Amino acid sequence: MKLPVTSLVTSLRTRGSITALRTRGRFAALALAAVAACALPYTLGSYAMHVVDVALIFALLALGLGLVMGIAGQVNLAQVAFFGVGAYATALLTTKAGFGFWIAAALAMLITLAAGLFVALPALRIQSHYLGIVTLGLALAFLNWTVNTPMAGGADGISAIPVPPMPGIDLGDEYLYYYLEITVFALALAFGLFVVRTPLGRRLRAMRDDALAAGAIGAEIPYLRMTAFLLASVYGGVAGVLYAGLIRYVAPETFSIANMFLLLAMVIVGGRQSLWGCVIGALGLFLIREWLVDFATYAQLGYGLVVVLMVVFAPTGLVGIPRRVIAARRRRQQVARAVLRDFQPYEPAEREAHGLTDLQIRDVSKDFRGLRALDDVSFSVSPGAIHGVVGPNGSGKTTLFNVISGLYRATNGRVEMGGRTVTGLRPYQLSQLGIARTFQNLRLFGQLSVRDNILVAMDRTRTRSIWRYVVWPVAVWRQNRELHRRSEALLTRFGLTDYADIAPGALPYGIQRRIEIARAMASRPRLLLLDEPAAGLNGEEVRQLAEIVRSIRDSGVTVVVIEHNMGLVMSLCDRVTVLAGGEVIADGTPAEVVASPAVIEAYLGGESMADEPVALPSTEVKR
């Protein structure tokens, strides 16, 4: 059966019309904002203009912090250190080394990138509050260096930084400097929004939501973490250069921990998962701070109280409050109207496009602090087959999947796929080789829509290609359009078109199971691992699952499935491997396995399996 091309084209046209209307509205709003920004200096006095200039610099810093914390989910308390590195490097290179301002600025950006890379290294091994402690320590180390190093001017700082030269424009005038800042800020905001809404941003958000699942579908987690910190350092470096050119004096108090926590408050209050929220929070809190400058102590307490209240009652910030209300209403309407459509089977001819692969498990063992979860497990999975792995709870089935997919490293033995040893490779490397999996407990990206869940897995570009975002963004835009086109076809195939713009958590459990299988297939795997895909499904959903799995097999994908629903296993699988106590106790066809005395004893405690029906009757999930 072929995909319904007509309905797909109609859906794309309708969605395209709505998108066009929204795009025109956004362009109109941006045009009005641009006019207001250009006219702003004509309405302000000199002091107010200075405040706005500095506020824009903090907005740049907030954008960088929002990218690394809100979008990528990496705790970073060193953003103010990036700010300081950019400012101090510019100051030292102009006043001590004699470089012109713009050459010094370029070199300062390279130095800040190196600092970002250095700060990113701990993120490869530690996460959560531990990473926050480390980055805070690095920020304190930088502050200590500025205070105690004669080259940095100590507590007195560095003065006499030259005015940035620009033909025909005196940037010593803060009114004219504002236009330089607003131009840089607009470009920085546009670049950040471009990143967030294209493949790199989706991978960063997937890593934020569930790093383990993101790695399993091909996201290069270590490199993405480093990329997030490098992006933050770029924004911090640009802010530092602009600050040095504006004030023409740098001193340690500007880069204090108090300002770091003020910056953190800006991002949290505004909304860390929205770059617009970060900007609103930065501008709003900075202006409030200036208004309360005579009550600094009380203002600090107020910031802390506001942050606590926002974290508890509005974790998505000020921008997130109307978004959550609107999204909740829209989600209810979408779910009410949405219909799960029939799965459209793959064409068997597509088998040749993939190429068949086999899986060899050879003497695999896995120990956990003296507990042996797997003990010399060996079996083979034939190319293009559906192979079942069954056994009682605690028999090591999911541990075996975790070893195959790279989440665990085998203590002994090896795993081969298509004749290649893949033992010890990381999950994203295995995904790139053609292994995809689902999880026993659903691991969908809850903050992403169903479409974005699919798009993350569908994107197979490497993180090293992010240079295109700077050198050739048109290629990124074209790739993004192609990914959306392909995702529409996959959503239609799995009957999920009506749910494309809904967050998975708002959907029934059975639909979420189908979404997870669709996401796994989005990566075009050669080997698909399904971990208890029928758990929690009713009889009709189990029947549909069997149809989907058979079609996936017919398209040329080798399938290995863990399942407790014995009716499904016996009717679906070509061969079955039975585990008990981490060991293989039987391996053969379903008929051979059900007749094995060892299986009867270990799996059913002595009850014969031969009498159990093998059609597809079972809706009961044995646990």
mmCIF file of all heavy atoms in Angstrom, residues 390 565-571 573 575-578 585-604 606-615 622:
data_model
loop_
_atom_site.group_PDB
_atom_site.id
_atom_site.type_symbol
_atom_site.label_atom_id
_atom_site.label_comp_id
_atom_site.label_asym_id
_atom_site.label_seq_id
_atom_site.Cartn_x
_atom_site.Cartn_y
_atom_site.Cartn_z
ATOM 1 N N VAL A 390 13.212 -13.317 25.481
ATOM 2 C CA VAL A 390 12.233 -13.398 26.555
ATOM 3 C C VAL A 390 12.910 -13.958 27.804
ATOM 4 O O VAL A 390 14.027 -14.456 27.765
ATOM 5 C CB VAL A 390 11.032 -14.284 26.165
ATOM 6 C CG1 VAL A 390 10.337 -13.722 24.937
ATOM 7 C CG2 VAL A 390 11.472 -15.720 25.917
ATOM 8 N N ASN A 565 4.581 -10.442 26.429
ATOM 9 C CA ASN A 565 3.343 -10.939 25.841
ATOM 10 C C ASN A 565 3.696 -12.143 24.972
ATOM 11 O O ASN A 565 4.101 -12.017 23.822
ATOM 12 C CB ASN A 565 2.685 -9.841 25.007
ATOM 13 C CG ASN A 565 1.315 -10.233 24.489
ATOM 14 O OD1 ASN A 565 1.066 -11.395 24.152
ATOM 15 N ND2 ASN A 565 0.424 -9.254 24.415
ATOM 16 N N MET A 566 3.517 -13.358 25.530
ATOM 17 C CA MET A 566 3.977 -14.563 24.837
ATOM 18 C C MET A 566 3.168 -14.854 23.586
ATOM 19 O O MET A 566 3.682 -15.426 22.618
ATOM 20 C CB MET A 566 3.916 -15.759 25.794
ATOM 21 C CG MET A 566 4.892 -15.643 26.957
ATOM 22 S SD MET A 566 6.588 -15.310 26.428
ATOM 23 C CE MET A 566 6.928 -16.772 25.450
ATOM 24 N N GLY A 567 1.900 -14.447 23.557
ATOM 25 C CA GLY A 567 1.130 -14.619 22.342
ATOM 26 C C GLY A 567 1.740 -13.838 21.200
ATOM 27 O O GLY A 567 1.846 -14.322 20.062
ATOM 28 N N LEU A 568 2.164 -12.608 21.482
ATOM 29 C CA LEU A 568 2.813 -11.782 20.472
ATOM 30 C C LEU A 568 4.142 -12.376 20.051
ATOM 31 O O LEU A 568 4.460 -12.466 18.861
ATOM 32 C CB LEU A 568 3.000 -10.359 21.017
ATOM 33 C CG LEU A 568 3.745 -9.377 20.116
ATOM 34 C CD1 LEU A 568 2.982 -9.165 18.816
ATOM 35 C CD2 LEU A 568 3.967 -8.053 20.833
ATOM 36 N N VAL A 569 4.948 -12.800 21.012
ATOM 37 C CA VAL A 569 6.275 -13.343 20.707
ATOM 38 C C VAL A 569 6.157 -14.584 19.831
ATOM 39 O O VAL A 569 6.854 -14.740 18.817
ATOM 40 C CB VAL A 569 7.035 -13.670 22.005
ATOM 41 C CG1 VAL A 569 8.320 -14.453 21.707
ATOM 42 C CG2 VAL A 569 7.352 -12.392 22.768
ATOM 43 N N MET A 570 5.277 -15.514 20.209
ATOM 44 C CA MET A 570 5.180 -16.773 19.487
ATOM 45 C C MET A 570 4.653 -16.596 18.057
ATOM 46 O O MET A 570 5.005 -17.345 17.154
ATOM 47 C CB MET A 570 4.270 -17.740 20.245
ATOM 48 C CG MET A 570 4.807 -18.169 21.602
ATOM 49 S SD MET A 570 6.392 -19.027 21.491
ATOM 50 C CE MET A 570 7.408 -17.946 22.496
ATOM 51 N N SER A 571 3.792 -15.599 17.855
ATOM 52 C CA SER A 571 3.220 -15.406 16.521
ATOM 53 C C SER A 571 4.080 -14.506 15.642
ATOM 54 O O SER A 571 3.976 -14.549 14.423
ATOM 55 C CB SER A 571 1.825 -14.799 16.637
ATOM 56 O OG SER A 571 1.908 -13.491 17.177
ATOM 57 N N CYS A 573 7.778 -13.767 16.096
ATOM 58 C CA CYS A 573 9.227 -13.946 15.978
ATOM 59 C C CYS A 573 9.587 -15.186 15.153
ATOM 60 O O CYS A 573 8.918 -16.219 15.218
ATOM 61 C CB CYS A 573 9.857 -14.057 17.364
ATOM 62 S SG CYS A 573 9.624 -12.575 18.366
ATOM 63 N N ARG A 575 12.741 -16.531 15.488
ATOM 64 C CA ARG A 575 13.490 -17.293 16.486
ATOM 65 C C ARG A 575 13.353 -16.586 17.833
ATOM 66 O O ARG A 575 13.098 -15.372 17.886
ATOM 67 C CB ARG A 575 14.971 -17.437 16.136
ATOM 68 C CG ARG A 575 15.245 -18.340 14.934
ATOM 69 C CD ARG A 575 16.742 -18.518 14.715
ATOM 70 N NE ARG A 575 17.399 -19.235 15.797
ATOM 71 C CZ ARG A 575 17.493 -20.567 15.874
ATOM 72 N NH1 ARG A 575 16.944 -21.332 14.937
ATOM 73 N NH2 ARG A 575 18.136 -21.135 16.883
ATOM 74 N N VAL A 576 13.564 -17.339 18.901
ATOM 75 C CA VAL A 576 13.432 -16.798 20.253
ATOM 76 C C VAL A 576 14.622 -17.255 21.082
ATOM 77 O O VAL A 576 15.011 -18.424 21.040
ATOM 78 C CB VAL A 576 12.113 -17.252 20.922
ATOM 79 C CG1 VAL A 576 12.012 -16.714 22.345
ATOM 80 C CG2 VAL A 576 10.912 -16.804 20.095
ATOM 81 N N THR A 577 15.198 -16.311 21.840
ATOM 82 C CA THR A 577 16.243 -16.631 22.815
ATOM 83 C C THR A 577 15.671 -16.393 24.209
ATOM 84 O O THR A 577 15.071 -15.341 24.464
ATOM 85 C CB THR A 577 17.486 -15.752 22.610
ATOM 86 O OG1 THR A 577 18.028 -16.003 21.310
ATOM 87 C CG2 THR A 577 18.547 -16.045 23.655
ATOM 88 N N VAL A 578 15.846 -17.360 25.087
ATOM 89 C CA VAL A 578 15.307 -17.262 26.441
ATOM 90 C C VAL A 578 16.459 -17.084 27.421
ATOM 91 O O VAL A 578 17.427 -17.863 27.418
ATOM 92 C CB VAL A 578 14.488 -18.512 26.817
ATOM 93 C CG1 VAL A 578 13.846 -18.337 28.195
ATOM 94 C CG2 VAL A 578 13.417 -18.784 25.775
ATOM 95 N N ILE A 585 19.184 -20.027 28.266
ATOM 96 C CA ILE A 585 18.749 -21.385 28.593
ATOM 97 C C ILE A 585 18.057 -22.062 27.412
ATOM 98 O O ILE A 585 17.817 -23.272 27.451
ATOM 99 C CB ILE A 585 17.807 -21.393 29.817
ATOM 100 C CG1 ILE A 585 16.550 -20.566 29.541
ATOM 101 C CG2 ILE A 585 18.534 -20.858 31.052
ATOM 102 C CD1 ILE A 585 15.490 -20.711 30.623
ATOM 103 N N ALA A 586 17.731 -21.281 26.377
ATOM 104 C CA ALA A 586 17.130 -21.880 25.179
ATOM 105 C C ALA A 586 17.268 -20.894 24.039
ATOM 106 O O ALA A 586 17.226 -19.675 24.237
ATOM 107 C CB ALA A 586 15.659 -22.224 25.408
ATOM 108 N N ASP A 587 17.405 -21.426 22.839
ATOM 109 C CA ASP A 587 17.504 -20.592 21.646
ATOM 110 C C ASP A 587 17.030 -21.428 20.460
ATOM 111 O O ASP A 587 17.579 -22.503 20.193
ATOM 112 C CB ASP A 587 18.943 -20.117 21.422
ATOM 113 C CG ASP A 587 19.065 -19.224 20.201
ATOM 114 O OD1 ASP A 587 18.387 -18.181 20.171
ATOM 115 O OD2 ASP A 587 19.814 -19.574 19.258
ATOM 116 N N GLY A 588 15.993 -20.991 19.775
ATOM 117 C CA GLY A 588 15.473 -21.745 18.646
ATOM 118 C C GLY A 588 14.191 -21.145 18.125
ATOM 119 O O GLY A 588 13.849 -19.990 18.434
ATOM 120 N N THR A 589 13.457 -21.922 17.360
ATOM 121 C CA THR A 589 12.173 -21.455 16.858
ATOM 122 C C THR A 589 11.182 -21.385 18.011
ATOM 123 O O THR A 589 11.388 -22.004 19.063
ATOM 124 C CB THR A 589 11.647 -22.419 15.786
ATOM 125 O OG1 THR A 589 11.391 -23.688 16.394
ATOM 126 C CG2 THR A 589 12.652 -22.577 14.650
ATOM 127 N N PRO A 590 10.080 -20.646 17.851
ATOM 128 C CA PRO A 590 9.085 -20.589 18.923
ATOM 129 C C PRO A 590 8.590 -21.965 19.352
ATOM 130 O O PRO A 590 8.429 -22.222 20.556
ATOM 131 C CB PRO A 590 7.962 -19.755 18.300
ATOM 132 C CG PRO A 590 8.649 -18.874 17.326
ATOM 133 C CD PRO A 590 9.767 -19.689 16.759
ATOM 134 N N ALA A 591 8.404 -22.863 18.386
ATOM 135 C CA ALA A 591 7.923 -24.205 18.732
ATOM 136 C C ALA A 591 8.953 -24.955 19.565
ATOM 137 O O ALA A 591 8.607 -25.675 20.522
ATOM 138 C CB ALA A 591 7.605 -24.991 17.459
ATOM 139 N N GLU A 592 10.238 -24.811 19.243
ATOM 140 C CA GLU A 592 11.290 -25.480 20.003
ATOM 141 C C GLU A 592 11.402 -24.908 21.405
ATOM 142 O O GLU A 592 11.608 -25.641 22.382
ATOM 143 C CB GLU A 592 12.628 -25.340 19.268
ATOM 144 C CG GLU A 592 12.692 -26.090 17.939
ATOM 145 C CD GLU A 592 13.922 -25.740 17.130
ATOM 146 O OE1 GLU A 592 14.575 -24.710 17.445
ATOM 147 O OE2 GLU A 592 14.238 -26.481 16.182
ATOM 148 N N VAL A 593 11.241 -23.603 21.516
ATOM 149 C CA VAL A 593 11.405 -22.949 22.815
ATOM 150 C C VAL A 593 10.285 -23.341 23.767
ATOM 151 O O VAL A 593 10.527 -23.649 24.945
ATOM 152 C CB VAL A 593 11.468 -21.417 22.625
ATOM 153 C CG1 VAL A 593 11.277 -20.704 23.962
ATOM 154 C CG2 VAL A 593 12.790 -21.019 22.005
ATOM 155 N N VAL A 594 9.048 -23.355 23.282
ATOM 156 C CA VAL A 594 7.944 -23.650 24.192
ATOM 157 C C VAL A 594 7.989 -25.089 24.685
ATOM 158 O O VAL A 594 7.393 -25.406 25.725
ATOM 159 C CB VAL A 594 6.582 -23.389 23.523
ATOM 160 C CG1 VAL A 594 6.426 -21.929 23.178
ATOM 161 C CG2 VAL A 594 6.382 -24.267 22.300
ATOM 162 N N ALA A 595 8.701 -25.946 23.974
ATOM 163 C CA ALA A 595 8.785 -27.345 24.390
ATOM 164 C C ALA A 595 9.993 -27.623 25.261
ATOM 165 O O ALA A 595 10.160 -28.749 25.751
ATOM 166 C CB ALA A 595 8.827 -28.245 23.149
ATOM 167 N N SER A 596 10.840 -26.610 25.486
ATOM 168 C CA SER A 596 12.070 -26.821 26.251
ATOM 169 C C SER A 596 11.767 -26.973 27.742
ATOM 170 O O SER A 596 11.142 -26.096 28.349
ATOM 171 C CB SER A 596 13.029 -25.644 26.046
ATOM 172 O OG SER A 596 14.095 -25.700 26.956
ATOM 173 N N PRO A 597 12.201 -28.054 28.382
ATOM 174 C CA PRO A 597 11.973 -28.223 29.828
ATOM 175 C C PRO A 597 12.612 -27.109 30.644
ATOM 176 O O PRO A 597 12.051 -26.686 31.674
ATOM 177 C CB PRO A 597 12.624 -29.584 30.125
ATOM 178 C CG PRO A 597 12.629 -30.297 28.812
ATOM 179 C CD PRO A 597 12.833 -29.244 27.775
ATOM 180 N N ALA A 598 13.780 -26.624 30.209
ATOM 181 C CA ALA A 598 14.455 -25.562 30.956
ATOM 182 C C ALA A 598 13.617 -24.281 30.946
ATOM 183 O O ALA A 598 13.532 -23.565 31.948
ATOM 184 C CB ALA A 598 15.839 -25.284 30.359
ATOM 185 N N VAL A 599 12.995 -24.000 29.812
ATOM 186 C CA VAL A 599 12.153 -22.809 29.710
ATOM 187 C C VAL A 599 10.909 -22.970 30.570
ATOM 188 O O VAL A 599 10.499 -22.047 31.287
ATOM 189 C CB VAL A 599 11.772 -22.554 28.239
ATOM 190 C CG1 VAL A 599 10.768 -21.410 28.139
ATOM 191 C CG2 VAL A 599 13.013 -22.252 27.422
ATOM 192 N N ILE A 600 10.311 -24.132 30.519
ATOM 193 C CA ILE A 600 9.103 -24.383 31.323
ATOM 194 C C ILE A 600 9.413 -24.202 32.805
ATOM 195 O O ILE A 600 8.648 -23.575 33.552
ATOM 196 C CB ILE A 600 8.572 -25.798 31.047
ATOM 197 C CG1 ILE A 600 8.111 -25.912 29.584
ATOM 198 C CG2 ILE A 600 7.436 -26.143 31.994
ATOM 199 C CD1 ILE A 600 7.770 -27.316 29.161
ATOM 200 N N GLU A 601 10.555 -24.684 33.217
ATOM 201 C CA GLU A 601 10.930 -24.602 34.628
ATOM 202 C C GLU A 601 11.260 -23.172 35.039
ATOM 203 O O GLU A 601 10.803 -22.682 36.073
ATOM 204 C CB GLU A 601 12.134 -25.511 34.895
ATOM 205 C CG GLU A 601 12.644 -25.466 36.335
ATOM 206 C CD GLU A 601 11.624 -25.997 37.319
ATOM 207 O OE1 GLU A 601 10.799 -26.854 36.933
ATOM 208 O OE2 GLU A 601 11.644 -25.546 38.483
ATOM 209 N N ALA A 602 12.077 -22.478 34.213
ATOM 210 C CA ALA A 602 12.555 -21.150 34.596
ATOM 211 C C ALA A 602 11.519 -20.067 34.376
ATOM 212 O O ALA A 602 11.397 -19.137 35.179
ATOM 213 C CB ALA A 602 13.818 -20.810 33.802
ATOM 214 N N TYR A 603 10.773 -20.195 33.287
ATOM 215 C CA TYR A 603 9.884 -19.100 32.915
ATOM 216 C C TYR A 603 8.505 -19.197 33.534
ATOM 217 O O TYR A 603 7.904 -18.207 33.926
ATOM 218 C CB TYR A 603 9.750 -19.044 31.390
ATOM 219 C CG TYR A 603 9.248 -17.719 30.884
ATOM 220 C CD1 TYR A 603 10.133 -16.681 30.621
ATOM 221 C CD2 TYR A 603 7.892 -17.501 30.682
ATOM 222 C CE1 TYR A 603 9.680 -15.457 30.157
ATOM 223 C CE2 TYR A 603 7.422 -16.282 30.212
ATOM 224 C CZ TYR A 603 8.314 -15.267 29.956
ATOM 225 O OH TYR A 603 7.852 -14.062 29.506
ATOM 226 N N LEU A 604 7.971 -20.432 33.624
ATOM 227 C CA LEU A 604 6.622 -20.594 34.143
ATOM 228 C C LEU A 604 6.556 -21.442 35.404
ATOM 229 O O LEU A 604 5.482 -21.843 35.825
ATOM 230 C CB LEU A 604 5.715 -21.204 33.065
ATOM 231 C CG LEU A 604 5.448 -20.307 31.854
ATOM 232 C CD1 LEU A 604 4.574 -21.043 30.864
ATOM 233 C CD2 LEU A 604 4.780 -19.018 32.282
ATOM 234 N N GLY A 606 7.334 -24.498 35.919
ATOM 235 C CA GLY A 606 6.897 -25.873 35.754
ATOM 236 C C GLY A 606 5.630 -26.035 34.961
ATOM 237 O O GLY A 606 5.229 -27.140 34.648
ATOM 238 N N GLU A 607 4.929 -24.921 34.600
ATOM 239 C CA GLU A 607 3.728 -25.040 33.793
ATOM 240 C C GLU A 607 4.095 -25.102 32.324
ATOM 241 O O GLU A 607 4.948 -24.376 31.844
ATOM 242 C CB GLU A 607 2.812 -23.829 34.044
ATOM 243 C CG GLU A 607 2.316 -23.758 35.471
ATOM 244 C CD GLU A 607 1.423 -22.536 35.653
ATOM 245 O OE1 GLU A 607 0.985 -21.960 34.645
ATOM 246 O OE2 GLU A 607 1.177 -22.176 36.802
ATOM 247 N N SER A 608 3.449 -25.946 31.599
ATOM 248 C CA SER A 608 3.752 -26.111 30.186
ATOM 249 C C SER A 608 3.324 -24.892 29.398
ATOM 250 O O SER A 608 2.275 -24.323 29.622
ATOM 251 C CB SER A 608 3.045 -27.351 29.615
ATOM 252 O OG SER A 608 3.230 -27.419 28.219
ATOM 253 N N MET A 609 4.185 -24.505 28.463
ATOM 254 C CA MET A 609 3.857 -23.408 27.570
ATOM 255 C C MET A 609 3.186 -23.908 26.306
ATOM 256 O O MET A 609 2.710 -23.140 25.491
ATOM 257 C CB MET A 609 5.118 -22.618 27.193
ATOM 258 C CG MET A 609 5.814 -21.969 28.359
ATOM 259 S SD MET A 609 7.331 -21.167 27.854
ATOM 260 C CE MET A 609 6.733 -19.907 26.766
ATOM 261 N N ALA A 610 3.169 -25.198 26.136
ATOM 262 C CA ALA A 610 2.673 -25.735 24.877
ATOM 263 C C ALA A 610 1.198 -25.450 24.672
ATOM 264 O O ALA A 610 0.714 -25.375 23.554
ATOM 265 C CB ALA A 610 2.919 -27.238 24.820
ATOM 266 N N ASP A 611 0.462 -25.290 25.804
ATOM 267 C CA ASP A 611 -0.969 -25.057 25.686
ATOM 268 C C ASP A 611 -1.317 -23.594 25.440
ATOM 269 O O ASP A 611 -2.468 -23.262 25.219
ATOM 270 C CB ASP A 611 -1.679 -25.506 26.971
ATOM 271 C CG ASP A 611 -1.531 -27.014 27.163
ATOM 272 O OD1 ASP A 611 -1.416 -27.719 26.130
ATOM 273 O OD2 ASP A 611 -1.532 -27.459 28.320
ATOM 274 N N GLU A 612 -0.299 -22.718 25.504
ATOM 275 C CA GLU A 612 -0.596 -21.291 25.337
ATOM 276 C C GLU A 612 -0.822 -20.987 23.864
ATOM 277 O O GLU A 612 -0.077 -21.430 23.006
ATOM 278 C CB GLU A 612 0.574 -20.442 25.874
ATOM 279 C CG GLU A 612 0.206 -18.982 25.923
ATOM 280 C CD GLU A 612 1.055 -18.209 26.918
ATOM 281 O OE1 GLU A 612 1.500 -18.802 27.912
ATOM 282 O OE2 GLU A 612 1.250 -17.030 26.678
ATOM 283 N N PRO A 613 -1.866 -20.248 23.523
ATOM 284 C CA PRO A 613 -2.164 -19.976 22.114
ATOM 285 C C PRO A 613 -1.076 -19.137 21.480
ATOM 286 O O PRO A 613 -0.447 -18.319 22.129
ATOM 287 C CB PRO A 613 -3.483 -19.200 22.177
ATOM 288 C CG PRO A 613 -3.536 -18.632 23.537
ATOM 289 C CD PRO A 613 -2.839 -19.605 24.428
ATOM 290 N N VAL A 614 -0.873 -19.351 20.200
ATOM 291 C CA VAL A 614 0.165 -18.630 19.494
ATOM 292 C C VAL A 614 -0.400 -17.706 18.438
ATOM 293 O O VAL A 614 0.324 -17.175 17.627
ATOM 294 C CB VAL A 614 1.170 -19.613 18.832
ATOM 295 C CG1 VAL A 614 1.869 -20.416 19.866
ATOM 296 C CG2 VAL A 614 0.446 -20.510 17.822
ATOM 297 N N ALA A 615 -1.706 -17.516 18.420
ATOM 298 C CA ALA A 615 -2.263 -16.575 17.452
ATOM 299 C C ALA A 615 -1.833 -15.170 17.850
ATOM 300 O O ALA A 615 -0.707 -14.836 17.755
ATOM 301 C CB ALA A 615 -3.778 -16.719 17.405
ATOM 302 N N LYS A 622 2.398 -9.752 31.143
ATOM 303 C CA LYS A 622 2.945 -10.456 32.301
ATOM 304 C C LYS A 622 4.191 -9.737 32.765
ATOM 305 O O LYS A 622 5.060 -9.401 31.991
ATOM 306 C CB LYS A 622 3.276 -11.895 31.917
ATOM 307 C CG LYS A 622 2.037 -12.672 31.454
ATOM 308 C CD LYS A 622 2.420 -14.045 31.001
ATOM 309 C CE LYS A 622 1.198 -14.795 30.480
ATOM 310 N NZ LYS A 622 1.539 -16.110 29.961
#
